[in-house]
């Protein structure tokens, strides 16, 4: 009988859920490791994880770790979950991207399919306009949305992305009417913003730093409980009276069933890396938004966020 790729993945997930851990060869040993990354080469997530790898590899005795770029879709998370549970294939899970793929539909993976190693990066969402835009504040945007016949046009890089969910939260909190337009990538969205095809754009703050520095876009507000460290002059939504806290959280995971000693060693190596003054200085110089949480804390936060998103879907389903 011929099994499709989807059938093989489903069978692998089922086996991982019930099979006992097998005897492992010395780890990490000389065998290469890889990290599945649901982001394009050259993206902010890709650049950040590649910059960190030499530091993490050193904490693992000089392990050989490569990055395997994948599409930011369900298939990639299924591959992460169905990989051999031997500690040699890890994944960078991006939240709330991953949770959004499972809510309101029959997904082929779930958060229960992962062992959590820890949080690495955290990037708040922001609201941006073109440099020439008359919109300069949240009240300006709300006024423009009220006056727009069909609602203010707002762009993001995809349905269910953290930035799209920020717009959904913004609509719910303010009552504003926005017309969402997804674009295939940050550069395409920025071009549409400058051309006036959209009036506002929701983008990650850290990923937008080069465009902000060049004056290609202008920031109105950022999400989160406090101002983003690399843009201290940009106010938060909370300062305007709307406590919106949408952030892209990037966490290292392994397939469920990975032996506990391996997960513990990965957790310890990541903790050491995130405390390493050399890596902290490197990340600061590169404007990489570091945020470390150990594995169990990460698991709890991601599960709590999933519950919040499920409740949001029930009241304002995103399409």
């Amino acid at each position: 009988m011929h099994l499709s790729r989807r059938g093989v993945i489903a069978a692998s997930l089922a086996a991982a859920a019930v099979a006992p851990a097998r005897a492992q060869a010395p780890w990490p040993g000389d065998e290469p490791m890889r990290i599945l990354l649901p982001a394009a080469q050259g993206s902010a997530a890709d650049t950040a994880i590649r910059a960190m790898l030499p530091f993490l590899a050193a904490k693992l005795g000089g392990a050989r770790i490569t990055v395997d770029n994948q599409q930011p879709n369900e298939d990639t998370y299924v591959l992460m979950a169905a990989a051999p549970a031997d500690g040699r294939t890890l994944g960078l899970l991006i939240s709330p991207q991953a949770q959004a793929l499972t809510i309101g539909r029959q997904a082929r993976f779930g958060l229960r399919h992962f062992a959590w190693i820890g949080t690495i990066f955290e990037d708040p969402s922001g609201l941006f306009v073109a440099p020439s835009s008359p919109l300069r504040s949240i009240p300006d945007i709300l006024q423009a949305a009220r006056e727009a016949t069909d609602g203010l046009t707002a762009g993001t890089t995809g349905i269910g992305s953290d930035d799209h969910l920020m717009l959904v939260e913004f609509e719910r909190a303010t009552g504003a009417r926005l017309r969402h337009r997804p674009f295939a990538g940050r550069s395409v969205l920025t071009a549409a913003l400058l051309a006036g095809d959209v009036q506002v754009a929701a983008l990650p703050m850290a990923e937008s730093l080069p465009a902000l520095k060049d004056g290609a876009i202008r920031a109105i507000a950022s999400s989160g409980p406090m101002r983003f460290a690399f843009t201290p002059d940009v106010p938060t939504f909370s300062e305007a009276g709307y406590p919106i806290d949408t952030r892209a959280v990037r966490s290292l995971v392994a397939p469920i069933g990975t032996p506990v000693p391996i997960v513990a060693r990965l957790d310890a190596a990541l903790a050491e890396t995130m405390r390493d003054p050399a890596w902290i200085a490197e990340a600061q110089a590169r404007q990489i938004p570091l945020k470390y949480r150990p594995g169990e804390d990460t698991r709890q936060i991601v599960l709590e966020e999933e519950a919040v998103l499920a409740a949001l879907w029930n009241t304002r389903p995103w399409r």
Side-chain angles (χ1 to χ4, degrees):
M1 179 179 65
H2 174 72
L3 284 178
S4 65
R5 178 171 177 269
R6 178 172 295 194
V8 170
I9 290 173
S12 299
L13 289 176
V18 299
R22 293 176 293 179
Q24 299 290 315
W27 185 92
D30 295 329
E31 293 295 321
M33 298 171 59
R34 66 172 180 158
I35 296 178
L36 296 174
L37 175 62
Q41 190 166 357
S43 65
D46 177 73
T47 301
I49 195 69
R50 289 179 189 274
M52 190 193 76
L53 282 189
F55 297 91
L56 179 62
K59 308 303 182 187
L60 293 170
R64 292 183 292 139
I65 312 174
T66 60
V67 175
D68 188 347
N69 296 93
Q70 301 281 332
Q71 294 296 316
N73 56 28
E74 182 182 2
D75 283 347
T76 297
Y77 287 107
V78 173
L79 286 175
M80 283 185 200
D86 57 8
R88 303 194 189 283
T89 299
L90 309 177
L92 194 72
L93 188 142
I94 301 178
S95 174
Q97 178 191 87
Q99 295 98 315
L101 289 170
T102 69
I103 293 172
R105 57 195 297 271
Q106 293 295 318
R108 294 177 287 127
F109 79 99
L111 299 182
R112 69 186 185 281
H113 290 131
F114 300 106
W116 298 87
I117 297 165
T119 305
I120 306 174
F121 315 118
E122 191 170 87
D123 190 357
S125 299
L127 202 58
F128 298 86
V129 296
S132 60
S133 171
L135 305 175
R136 310 199 69 85
S137 66
I138 294 298
D140 287 348
I141 289 175
L142 295 179
Q143 180 65 28
R146 283 192 291 269
E147 294 174 354
T149 304
D150 297 322
L152 204 65
T153 304
T156 71
T157 57
I159 296 173
S161 64
D162 50 299
D163 304 309
H164 180 208
L165 295 175
M166 184 268 284
L167 290 182
V168 176
E169 290 277 13
F170 182 71
E171 287 183 305
R172 184 173 70 167
T174 64
R177 291 179 59 214
L178 301 176
R179 287 194 294 126
H180 177 229
R181 285 189 60 190
F183 289 82
R186 190 172 68 254
S187 61
V188 181
L189 170 54
T190 301
L193 184 67
L194 297 179
D197 295 334
V198 296
Q199 283 70 59
V200 296
L203 290 163
M205 292 299 295
E207 292 189 21
S208 303
L209 290 173
L212 278 172
K213 182 179 179 180
D214 293 342
I217 56 177
R218 179 161 45 85
I220 296 293
S222 67
S223 64
M226 60 189 67
R227 294 192 180 194
F228 186 46
F230 296 117
T231 56
D233 295 334
V234 178
T236 64
F237 288 99
S238 295
E239 291 175 56
Y242 307 105
I244 298 170
D245 188 11
T246 305
R247 290 170 274 178
V249 179
R250 298 173 173 94
S251 306
L252 202 60
V253 298
I256 198 69
T258 300
V260 172
I262 292 179
V263 174
R265 186 169 177 191
L266 284 164
D267 198 329
L270 182 61
E272 290 177 28
T273 299
M274 299 299 283
R275 291 193 296 263
D276 186 335
W279 166 232
I280 294 171
E282 176 83 3
Q284 182 72 20
R286 291 173 175 264
Q287 296 187 308
I288 296 172
L290 297 184
K291 179 66 177 182
Y292 174 68
R293 299 184 190 91
E296 180 56 27
D297 290 354
T298 298
R299 186 182 73 86
Q300 290 291 341
I301 287 174
V302 170
L303 289 174
E304 289 169 6
E305 185 174 44
E306 184 179 49
V308 170
L309 289 174
L312 178 63
W313 172 271
N314 289 334
T315 57
R316 297 185 71 89
W318 52 88
R319 296 284 193 272

